[in-house]
Amino acid sequence: MKLQQGQIWQKGDQFLRIVHLERLEVEYKVVPRLNTREGVHHHVSKKDFCRLIKGAVQMKPEKDKVT
């Protein structure tokens, strides 16, 4: 699995969005709904983040629609 900035993971009823990704650390935001910007920021090691998303589902990015 390759982590990238901007990825969104769903675990239970929460969504985890990677805000900033470094070599050994991940800053992510936990939000209850995707359509809001409210949430709590967390800063953990990459290893801890991988343990956290174990069993979570990665959300597919929506393709931009041209009208």
Side-chain angles (χ1 to χ4, degrees):
M1 151 184 27
K2 183 164 175 98
L3 297 177
Q4 294 180 342
Q5 193 166 316
Q7 280 182 337
I8 300 173
W9 295 84
Q10 182 178 11
K11 183 159 185 172
D13 60 348
Q14 295 183 338
F15 295 95
L16 305 143
R17 183 172 59 89
I18 298 176
V19 177
H20 186 74
L21 184 63
E22 294 181 13
R23 182 171 166 251
L24 298 174
E25 296 179 340
V26 177
E27 185 177 341
Y28 68 97
K29 188 175 188 180
V30 178
V31 293
R33 292 181 307 277
L34 287 178
N35 58 356
T36 64
R37 297 182 75 83
E38 301 171 0
V40 180
H41 281 270
H42 298 277
H43 193 86
V44 295
S45 70
K46 192 179 274 188
K47 187 175 185 177
D48 286 337
F49 185 77
C50 289
R51 286 182 188 147
L52 177 68
I53 62 172
K54 190 172 186 176
V57 178
Q58 183 180 356
M59 305 298 291
K60 301 286 184 195
E62 294 183 15
K63 294 184 179 181
D64 294 338
K65 295 180 180 179
V66 177
T67 56

